Amino acid sequence: MNHARHSEGAFETAIEATLLANGYVPQAAAELDRDRAIFPATVLEFIRATQPKEWKALEALHGEKTGAQILTDLTKWMDREGSLATLRHGFKCYGKTLRVAFFKAAHGLNPELEARYAANRVGITRQLHLSKVSEKSLDVALSINGIPIASIELKNPMTGQTVENALRQYRNDRDPREPIFEFKRRMLVHFAADTDTVFMTTRLAGPATHFLPFNKGCGGGAGNAPDAKGRSYRTAYLWEEVLQRDSLLDLLARFIHMQVEDKRDDQGRRVKKGVVAQIQGIHLVNPAC
């Protein structure tokens, strides 16, 4: 697909090309199960390839319905426990613990662990149609072994739109009740970006969505310095560093945290509210402009 150099499509293409050249794989938009908000074929391929003993044991019980049973149990588990906990610790299916991701071991002395880590399929999808009721699409969606974990809305100021348009898009055009957006159950983080600045949130809440700046700073101030390599994108660190394959997996393993806050409702009853904390462990420095 050809795009004018300064179009939004060209911006998407630059990000996609970088990620695909550094360990990502294409994840076809058409393969999304919009009801379950997962890519079922990718999930099953990963489990079958990395955990053959568990698969065979379940297949002895369920035969041709093994895949369907695994997907049912996985989605129920994520709806209850959340996608972050499921990615880190796996889920139960008829007494078997199945993993949907493997993270890097503390050392490289175990070939089996290294092979499982290498088997992770970190996917990128452009123009992901996610809704059951409309054909609205996300510019970019990222997934781990078939489980969507991040979205990116991109704007290119050369087309007359900036990151502010992306923020409004998230607040006004992205229904937080969609399965893929439901808090903690699927996607964990959402980025709004243009060629100069980035914002992020861990929870979509319509017009009340709160975004935080996700920039390196410029001479002690806001924003980002000109790119040191002379490229036109000041925000290249987002996809070249933060979302780089190993970095993204490390974030999921160690630096995204779920906090539980105790609050009281109008009747004075204690209620627990889950909050995904700001992504920690990203060292965004303030270079001189």
Side-chain angles (χ1 to χ4, degrees):
M1 184 182 296
N2 293 322
H3 297 283
R5 182 173 179 270
H6 298 298
S7 70
E8 185 177 304
F11 193 18
E12 287 181 29
T13 298
I15 294 172
E16 179 186 42
T18 298
L19 294 177
L20 290 177
N22 290 278
Y24 276 67
V25 296
Q27 177 67 69
E31 294 177 357
L32 180 74
D33 181 329
R34 300 190 193 187
D35 291 304
R36 290 172 163 165
I38 60 174
F39 296 94
T42 302
V43 171
L44 295 178
E45 287 169 8
F46 176 77
I47 293 173
R48 186 164 38 223
T50 59
Q51 299 146 90
K53 292 181 181 178
E54 290 83 353
W55 182 280
K56 288 180 180 178
L58 291 169
E59 196 171 38
L61 294 173
H62 302 290
E64 294 180 357
K65 297 181 180 179
T66 300
Q69 187 62 54
I70 288 173
L71 294 174
T72 295
D73 288 352
L74 168 62
T75 50
K76 285 182 178 179
W77 193 277
M78 285 198 294
D79 288 344
R80 184 176 71 248
E81 304 294 332
S83 59
L84 181 60
T86 307
L87 284 162
R88 285 178 175 170
H89 307 298
F91 68 101
K92 290 286 189 181
C93 180
Y94 276 74
K96 300 293 182 183
T97 298
L98 299 176
R99 302 296 299 267
V100 288
F102 289 100
F103 298 105
K104 201 168 187 65
H107 55 76
L109 302 179
N110 189 318
E112 182 180 356
L113 293 180
E114 287 291 298
R116 285 183 166 185
Y117 176 74
N120 285 312
R121 182 186 173 102
V122 184
I124 177 171
T125 306
R126 290 177 61 177
Q127 298 303 318
L128 179 66
H129 295 273
L130 55 95
S131 176
K132 298 179 290 183
V133 297
S134 77
E135 286 302 310
K136 292 180 180 179
S137 63
L138 286 168
D139 287 340
V140 176
L142 307 180
S143 57
I144 305 291
N145 302 318
I147 298 175
I149 52 96
S151 71
I152 313 173
E153 291 291 356
L154 298 167
K155 301 299 174 187
N156 192 333
M158 297 296 291
T159 67
Q161 291 197 324
T162 69
V163 71
E164 293 297 327
N165 297 92
L167 297 177
R168 285 194 291 271
Q169 193 169 22
Y170 271 124
R171 289 178 172 133
N172 301 324
D173 296 335
R174 300 292 178 243
D175 186 347
R177 296 168 297 181
E178 289 283 359
I180 204 168
F181 291 141
E182 282 190 287
F183 178 62
K184 89 173 187 175
R185 293 180 174 179
R186 296 297 184 275
M187 284 188 167
L188 297 168
V189 62
H190 309 279
F191 294 100
D194 62 18
T195 57
D196 295 323
T197 54
V198 181
F199 289 82
M200 59 80 67
T201 185
T202 56
R203 184 171 195 168
L204 295 184
T209 302
H210 178 64
F211 282 91
L212 295 170
F214 200 72
N215 302 301
K216 287 189 171 185
C218 184
N224 292 296
D227 182 71
K229 298 179 182 178
R231 295 161 302 187
S232 57
Y233 301 142
R234 295 186 179 209
T235 50
Y237 63 88
L238 177 63
W239 55 93
E240 292 185 353
E241 300 172 23
V242 178
L243 299 178
Q244 186 265 349
R245 183 185 187 275
D246 290 337
S247 174
L248 180 61
L249 288 167
D250 198 34
L251 284 174
L252 290 169
R254 300 194 293 159
F255 296 116
I256 300 178
H257 301 286
M258 176 68 70
Q259 297 176 339
V260 178
E261 297 180 352
D262 282 336
K263 294 191 175 183
R264 301 278 181 176
D265 63 14
D266 294 339
Q267 287 74 44
R269 294 172 299 192
R270 179 178 291 177
V271 294
K272 290 185 176 181
K273 181 181 180 182
V275 179
V276 174
Q278 180 182 0
I279 293 178
Q280 300 172 355
I282 302 295
H283 303 292
L284 301 181
V285 298
N286 291 331
C289 289

